[in-house]
Amino acid sequence: MSHSLPELPYSPEALAPAMSRETMDYHYGKHLKTYIDNLNRLIPGTPFEDATLEEMILKADGSIFNNAAQTWNHTFFFNTLTPTPVDMPQALKTAIERDFGSVEDFRTEFLQAAATLFGSGWAWLSADKDGRLSISAESNAGNPLRHGLRPLLTADVWEHAYYIDYRNRRADYLAAWWNLVDWNIVAGRL
Ligand code: MN
């Protein structure tokens, strides 16, 4: 099965200035496209030729894992953003207050995990099989599905996600990213 670049749910300039058109052109149009092109080049003739991205995340290693997970992670990341500010739905707020104390405590803890992740990777909010929420940081292409968790939200902290707009200021990028999150979509994954 051939994998293709997913459609963005907004126009490429819609998230500016928090995320510029130039960042989208590189991050979505070049980095994500390259992971997908690599994956399509790697899988023919392997057991993953007809596998879903989730199956490859759970079972593959090396280059196939890296490119499949980066395809999944970026699709999930871009699909969770919106140019229109969204209030957090009550059900999600209640779950966050139960597991982190308050939305503000959750924001602080999540952004801290993302800001302090050493090198390239992703910060995640996930739910376990009982619906308990947790924050984790994964290096490189890491994904909580590998740990039996259900991802709800992710922040990309690879330098390519922020270097055009924020240079080395990862914390500034994360503060702007927070305001782009579509909390309705996050709540829908609960
Ligand atoms: Mn990225």
Side-chain angles (χ1 to χ4, degrees):
M1 140 166 79
S2 181
H3 298 269
S4 52
L5 191 65
E7 295 274 333
L8 282 177
Y10 37 79
S11 71
E13 59 279 338
L15 304 181
M19 223 176 258
S20 68
R21 170 69 194 251
E22 188 182 2
T23 285
M24 294 303 294
D25 286 348
Y26 277 80
H27 196 188
Y28 167 80
K30 295 184 191 290
H31 288 278
L32 173 54
K33 183 172 185 304
T34 299
Y35 294 126
I36 296 168
D37 290 347
N38 286 343
L39 188 63
N40 286 329
R41 193 169 41 75
L42 287 163
I43 55 176
T46 77
F48 299 106
E49 186 160 6
D50 295 312
T52 63
L53 294 173
E54 286 86 353
E55 287 167 340
M56 289 187 267
I57 287 171
L58 293 174
K59 295 176 189 159
D61 289 303
S63 295
I64 292 180
F65 168 79
N66 285 334
N67 287 283
Q70 285 294 77
T71 300
W72 194 101
N73 294 357
H74 281 93
T75 303
F76 188 85
F77 172 79
F78 287 122
N79 281 342
T80 312
L81 304 181
T82 175
T84 312
V86 172
D87 287 334
M88 192 177 283
Q90 191 56 51
L92 177 61
K93 204 173 169 186
T94 300
I96 283 174
E97 286 168 351
R98 181 195 64 208
D99 295 333
F100 300 101
S102 69
V103 171
E104 191 52 37
D105 287 339
F106 163 65
R107 180 184 182 279
T108 301
E109 197 177 322
F110 189 93
L111 296 186
Q112 179 74 6
T116 57
L117 194 166
F118 187 78
S120 296
W122 303 80
W124 298 88
L125 173 70
S126 304
D128 69 12
K129 59 178 175 22
D130 299 319
R132 289 276 155 189
L133 307 184
S134 62
I135 293 167
S136 60
E138 294 274 350
S139 292
N140 301 317
N143 184 302
L145 291 168
R146 290 274 273 209
H147 313 298
L149 298 172
R150 182 156 38 92
L152 305 178
L153 171 69
T154 193
D156 186 343
V157 293
W158 283 60
E159 285 184 348
H160 68 224
Y162 58 89
Y163 230 78
I164 290 171
D165 294 331
Y166 299 90
R167 298 302 175 190
N168 60 327
R169 294 177 287 113
R170 186 191 283 191
D172 290 352
Y173 151 71
L174 287 166
W177 164 83
W178 179 269
N179 294 322
L180 298 176
V181 172
D182 188 335
W183 297 107
N184 286 329
I185 289 180
V186 179
R189 295 169 178 151
L190 261 182

